[in-house]
């Protein structure tokens, strides 16, 4: 079409964006890199905090420890338990407070009977005291392990019944489903946030910024149709926002196994078990959502006098978008297609469904349709705003 | 009788002033009538000058004619197209220059020329020839590849001027075209406007510089406080005295009348 200037506007927006290396770096490459390193770091930091760090040998003391209990605990804790005298407990407690020792176990007199099966259940059960320091993560971890071992032993002595004591695997979820559950919980919220911030990186600058700098007026005196200007802007900004979102997503998917500490467990978390259809559906949802978000942010930016003002005006929208993302973390996606007529909410729920392998193509289609329709309304509004001197030349 | 290319009928623009604007302008009136029932015509092949002091309403009038803002009441036609009902047709017929229209800092004059030529639907080969001609005429070649951000005020003005004419319009509307230019560049611009006139183009300029009107204009409209005080050929307006003396007569009359 000779009079179609959408592509001309898009080319200019792309030339503006991709011609600026710094802009490309900060809004496309940087988010992905930052997210990857941040999540990887968070994952390993959390691993250090909660997992027993390799190579750390806890310092444990015990009073009156029976031989078979000692063997059991030493195996579980991976350290030698040093036996001490009951009279010395106070000084070892101080060592624990000072983080010089990790655990002190005080068994009652005659504890042997408890561990060789000759004890009879008594009304007044004897107590084992475990002293630890919760401010010291190693001490806390050692305490938890020891308590679990002893607790487990206690239940096994009474032995009314056992749960899952055989050798087979009782968790019947497949590896995919288990990982899918994690993705379904984390990704929709993160994606909603990434898409929004991708749009925020470019749309206010391109709409409110052009207004602020007086360059939009230069476009407005050309015979270009306002709808072409609006569509050209929204499509090009949408492409850039999708790229930014993809970068953040790749960073997340690569870092998620580290974040969730699944590398050690051997669970396959590289998202390779999602099929082409899953990715296609995800792509449709993401593209339609980004177009809707870009159009929405552009409309609000058009009202603002400056990029800064646009940022302020968009903060509540960002919070709402985040809350909608959080809804996808709670419960499973609704099945009623009517629920998928609510823009943004539908996107979050669709993504949740896709990640947990429960996507319904009808709902995906409804979502994309609704998002594009709302985008159409926004484009119409933006077209009207480009034509309004009150909006374009507000002082 | 030459063809009327711009016809202005009772053109009026009122600005509703915000509380802040009222304080700034030190006025209690809620509306500012920037253009008050203006009537005039501009004919094919002439240079028409809109002369007036600061705040008279010159820029406002030109902004309405170029469809950047809409009149509160009244109508105007550019080459037969209504500025109210057919703004698209008006836009494709005029070249408009005013300080409010900025070029994007990031791009070069070379890129922007091509971009605006594209928006105006100028065929690529025509645009290329026109660019070569206009760039050499205004000495833009030496900075054609420099980003607008790094250009001097005068260079930016030249680039804006050339870009406003990418589509070789029949009607050229320039608001204070020599503002901020040194005498050499200003002469390039005035010579260019005379060339346009020789090419039978219609030129309308606004200015507060009397010498510019005397040098360029066939007809002149003197606008004071949003009202057209007089509009006629330069000789008829002056009536034997200098334009400057005539202007002060009209100005004092207008002040008297306002009392
Ligand atoms: N957007 C606006 N809102 C309120 N008042 C305005 C607006 N634009 C212009 N005005 C007022 O209208 C009047 C005419 O302004 P205009 O810019 O047309 O004057 P001008 O003749 O171009 O003056 P100058 O020679 O200083 O450029 C001024 O009093 C100005 O304050
Ligand atoms: Mg002015």
């Amino acid at each position: 079409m000779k009079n179609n200037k959408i592509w001309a506007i898009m080319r200019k927006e792309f030339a503006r964006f991709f011609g600026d290396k710094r802009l490309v770096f900060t809004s496309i490459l940087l988010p992905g890199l930052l997210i990857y390193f941040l999540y990887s770091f968070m994952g390993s930091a959390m691993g250090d905090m909660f997992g027993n760090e390799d190579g750390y040998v806890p310092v444990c003391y015990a009073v009156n420890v029976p031989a078979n209990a000692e063997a059991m605990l030493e195996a579980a804790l991976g350290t030698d338990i040093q036996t001490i005298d009951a009279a010395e407990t106070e000084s070892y407690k101080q060592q624990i407070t000072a983080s010089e020792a990790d655990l002190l176990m005080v068994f009652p007199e005659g504890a042997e009977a408890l561990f060789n099966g000759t004890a009879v259940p008594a009304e007044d059960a004897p107590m084992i005291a475990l002293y630890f320091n919760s401010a010291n993560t190693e001490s806390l971890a050692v305490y938890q392990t020891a308590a679990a071992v002893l607790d487990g032993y206690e239940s096994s002595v009474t032995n009314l019944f056992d749960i899952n004591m055989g050798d087979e695997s009782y968790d019947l979820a497949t590896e995919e489903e288990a990982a899918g559950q994690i993705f379904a919980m984390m990704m929709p919220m993160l994606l909603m946030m990434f898409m929004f911030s991708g749009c925020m990186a470019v749309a206010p600058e391109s709409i409110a910024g052009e207004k602020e700098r007086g360059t939009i007026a230069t476009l407005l005196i050309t015979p270009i149709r306002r709808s072409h200007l609006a569509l050209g802007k929204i499509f090009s900004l949408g492409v850039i926002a999708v790229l930014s979102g993809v970068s953040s997503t790749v960073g997340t998917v690569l870092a998620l196994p580290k974040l969730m500490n699944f590398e050690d467990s051997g669970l396959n978390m590289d998202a390779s078990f999602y099929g082409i259809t899953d990715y296609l559906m995800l792509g449709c949802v993401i593209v339609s959502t980004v177009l809707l978000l870009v159009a929405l942010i552009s409309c609000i930016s058009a009202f603002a006098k400056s990029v800064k003002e646009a940022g302020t005006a968009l903060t509540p929208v960002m919070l709402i978008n985040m809350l909608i993302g959080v809804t996808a973390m709670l419960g499973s996606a609704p099945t009623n297609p009517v629920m998928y007529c609510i823009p943004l909410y539908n996107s979050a729920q669709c993504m949740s469904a896709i990640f947990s392998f429960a996507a319904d193509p009808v709902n995906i289609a409804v979502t994309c349709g609704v998002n594009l329709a709302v985008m159409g309304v926004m484009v119409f509004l933006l077209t009207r705003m480009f034509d309004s001197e009150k909006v374009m030349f507000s002082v | 009788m030459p063809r009327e290319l711009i016809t202005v009928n009772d053109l009026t623009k009122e600005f509703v002033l915000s509380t802040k604007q009222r304080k700034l302008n030190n006025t209690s009136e809620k509306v500012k009538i920037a253009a008050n029932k203006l009537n005039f015509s501009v004919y094919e092949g002439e240079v028409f000058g809109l002369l007036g002091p600061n705040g008279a309403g010159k820029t406002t009038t030109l902004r309405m004619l170029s469809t950047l803002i809409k009149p509160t009441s009244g109508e105007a036609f550019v080459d037969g197209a209504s500025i109210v009902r057919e703004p698209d047709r008006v836009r494709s017929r005029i070249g408009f220059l005013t300080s409010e229209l900025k070029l994007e800092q990031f791009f070069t004059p070379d890129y922007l020329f091509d971009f605006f030529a594209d928006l105006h639907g100028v065929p690529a080969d025509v645009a290329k020839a026109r660019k070569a001609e206009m760039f050499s005429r205004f000495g833009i070649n030496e900075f054609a590849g420099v980003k607008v951000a790094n250009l001097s005020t005068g260079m930016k003005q030249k680039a804006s001027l050339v870009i406003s004419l990418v589509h070789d319009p029949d009607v050229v509307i320039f608001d204070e075209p020599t503002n901020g230019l040194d005498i050499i560049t200003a002469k390039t611009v005035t010579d260019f406007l005379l060339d346009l006139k020789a090419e039978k183009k219609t030129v309308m300029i606004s200015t507060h510089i009397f010498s510019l009107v005397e040098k360029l204009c066939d007809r002149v409209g003197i606008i004071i406080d949003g009202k057209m005080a007089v509009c006629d050929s330069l000789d008829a307006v002056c009536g034997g005295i200098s334009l400057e003396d005539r202007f002060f007569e009209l100005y004092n009359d207008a002040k008297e009348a306002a009392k």
Side-chain angles (χ1 to χ4, degrees), chain A residues 277-288:
Chain A
T277 337
D278 296 319
Y279 281 115
L280 265 179
M281 290 192 292
L282 190 63
C284 290
V285 172
I286 287 180
V287 168
S288 69

Side-chain angles (χ1 to χ4, degrees), chain A residues 11 13 19 53-54 63 68 85 88 91 100 107 119 133-134 161 171 182 190 207 227 243 254 271 276 279 337 383:
Chain A
R11 272 206 315 267
E13 291 292 325
E53 206 181 315
D54 291 331
V63 179
N68 45 0
D85 216 54
E88 295 171 302
S91 75
E100 284 159 14
F107 290 79
N133 180 350
S134 65
F161 56 81
D171 183 356
I182 312 273
L190 293 173
I207 308 278
S227 53
L243 287 180
L254 292 181
I276 302 266
Y279 281 115
T383 302

Side-chain angles (χ1 to χ4, degrees), chain A residues 91-101 133 136:
Chain A
S91 75
Y92 285 99
K93 279 188 199 171
Q94 277 164 24
Q95 280 192 29
I96 290 174
T97 307
S99 289
E100 284 159 14
N133 180 350
N136 174 349

Side-chain angles (χ1 to χ4, degrees), chain A residues 11-12 218 387 389, chain B residues 13 70 91 102 104 118:
Chain A
R11 272 206 315 267
K12 189 215 70 170
T218 317
D387 236 351
E389 63 177 83
Chain B
K13 182 68 186 182
K70 294 180 184 72
R91 285 176 201 132
K102 298 289 190 328
E104 250 179 283
D118 189 1

Side-chain angles (χ1 to χ4, degrees), chain B residues 58-60 175-176 206:
Chain B
K58 304 181 293 291
T59 301
T60 305
D175 184 23
E176 318 254 12
S206 87

Side-chain angles (χ1 to χ4, degrees), chain A residues 2 5 8-9 11-13 15-17 19-20 210 213-226 387-389 393 395, chain B residues 13 15 21 63 66-71 88 91-92 94 96 100-107 111 115-116 118-121 147 163:
Chain A
K2 195 169 164 287
K5 297 299 168 206
I9 295 290
R11 272 206 315 267
K12 189 215 70 170
E13 291 292 325
R16 170 72 189 89
F17 184 82
D20 191 338
E210 283 223 37
R213 292 187 296 270
T215 52
I216 199 95
T218 317
L219 287 176
L220 292 175
I221 53 148
T222 68
I224 183 177
R225 284 171 56 185
R226 273 54 181 147
D387 236 351
S388 157
E389 63 177 83
F393 304 109
V395 277
Chain B
K13 182 68 186 182
F15 289 112
Q21 282 173 317
R63 286 175 87 203
S66 64
T67 75
L68 219 43
I69 58 176
K70 294 180 184 72
D88 285 355
R91 285 176 201 132
S92 59
I94 60 165
F96 181 46
E100 172 191 19
L101 306 176
K102 298 289 190 328
L103 297 177
E104 250 179 283
Q105 305 268 350
F106 178 80
F107 293 116
Y111 178 91
F115 171 61
F116 281 99
D118 189 1
L119 288 191
H120 276 284
K147 286 186 180 178
I163 284 167

Side-chain angles (χ1 to χ4, degrees), chain A residues 221-267:
Chain A
I221 53 148
T222 68
I224 183 177
R225 284 171 56 185
R226 273 54 181 147
S227 53
H228 289 183
L229 180 58
L231 282 170
K233 288 244 174 210
I234 284 167
F235 287 156
S236 51
L237 297 175
V239 169
I240 297 168
V242 165
L243 287 180
S244 164
V246 164
S247 150
S248 306
T249 310
V250 169
T252 312
V253 169
L254 292 181
L256 207 55
K258 294 190 182 173
L259 178 65
M260 308 300 281
N261 261 311
F262 279 116
E263 287 199 316
D264 301 339
S265 73
L267 190 58

